Amino acid sequence: MPDNAVSCSGKGFGGSLPGQVVLVLQGGGALGSYQAGVYHALHEAGIGPDWIIGTSIGAINASLIAGNEPQARLSRLQEFWKRMEQNPAWNFGSVFRGFNEKLSYWSTITHGVAGFFRPNLLAHAGDAYVLGPERAGYYTTTPLQKTLEELVDFDRVNRCKPRLTVGAAHVRTSRMRYFDSRDGAISVKHVLASGALPPAFPAVRIEGELYWDGGILSNTPTEAVFDDNPRKDSLIFSVHLWNPAGSEPTTMAEVFNRHKDVQYSSRIASQIVRQQQIHQLRHIINELAARLPETERNSAAARELASYGCQTRMHVVRLLAPQLDRETHTKDIDFSPDGIKQRWDAGYAHTRSVLARAPWVGEFDPLSGVVFHEHMELMPAGGGVNEVTSASRYISHH
């Protein structure tokens, strides 16, 4: 595979890009192989991210990208996800429909995933048994720490090319904290903290404080881009793993599945509406300031008021992972080779389709500071994925 992802300018990509390239990666366990497929397509198109923001598995994928030379990033992602594969010792899939998936699930629950997590037997000594704050979890992520230390160069991460931000939840205050390589050193502990989902995984201590998985507060940390200072023109690929829309459940299995989607799916739609309003007001402030007479425009009071304005524009492109056939509420621990491959392939196909459309190219309202490009239907991903008969469409909200 040619190494043409060195520059974020999009060399090798047919269209121009409207600003810095930001990759926002949601949490979702095994569903995260979809994100690797998204990066795969961007890499092939010569689009390298300037900034990667991740939570949970998104933080892990982000560190694998940011912590390697451009030519090694894809192979590192492939190596990580190969290590995550759960191969059942027996194959009964041709005899009992769905049996292999159930076998993989119970293998993960009882034995963990090599290179990721393994059971903490003391956690089963009783819920009142004192484990200690950094061991209170049903599993230990020591194997993941070893894996990341082997696959990620954190010295490279801290060169901030690309910039890396990982989100974690502060245990004592329930506040979200973003650890940013622009502002301080990022270590393997920060990535582990971002993925420390309770009660499965124990909290991780950083600078004397305990942190849990950031996904329990904000599973799609797009607000980190909107709140950045200084703001920049941006093309944001927001990669979602949980489906915000779904049918009414009629069985308990469907209830469990839909509950997880609702719980962890992004609230980006409501966030976008609010950000569109805020950014439009900032653009209006610029317009009003420009209409002031020069003598008033240059006064200290007018300059202070004008500073609340902004001329940046952010294009947000949402990529949504498809639902696989026979998908259940255990999908986030579906580390089966087929599940990993299908989601990776879907991310790759969806992103290639988006790049072909380049929805950020065109005329937009000059007062629109945030433009949201959302596909209306699930894009077909190929074998084993629920497909739609009509072509996928994009709608831009601005």
Side-chain angles (χ1 to χ4, degrees), residues 47-69:
I47 301 175
D50 298 286
W51 185 10
I52 315 172
I53 307 167
T55 298
S56 198
I57 193 65
I60 292 171
N61 280 327
S63 70
L64 289 162
I65 299 168
N68 283 286
E69 296 276 0

Side-chain angles (χ1 to χ4, degrees), residues 253-261 323 327-329 331:
E254 292 173 355
V255 168
F256 290 138
N257 191 31
R258 187 69 198 129
H259 172 243
K260 267 195 175 177
D261 276 336
Q323 297 190 47
E327 195 170 77
T328 71
H329 70 283
K331 56 194 173 188

Side-chain angles (χ1 to χ4, degrees), residues 9 43 48 92 123 156 175 241 259 264-265 275 279 286 292 312 376 385 390 397:
S9 63
H43 178 94
F92 296 101
R156 170 164 287 277
R175 292 182 179 177
L241 304 178
H259 172 243
Y264 293 116
S265 67
Q275 291 296 333
H279 278 69
N286 284 338
L292 291 173
T312 60
M376 298 292 289
V385 179
S390 57
H397 304 276

Side-chain angles (χ1 to χ4, degrees), residues 73-91:
R73 291 170 182 168
L74 189 56
S75 62
R76 289 300 197 186
L77 283 168
Q78 291 168 334
E79 171 66 19
F80 174 82
W81 285 99
K82 186 67 177 176
R83 294 190 189 191
M84 297 302 106
E85 288 183 0
Q86 287 286 84
N87 291 289
W90 300 280
N91 188 341

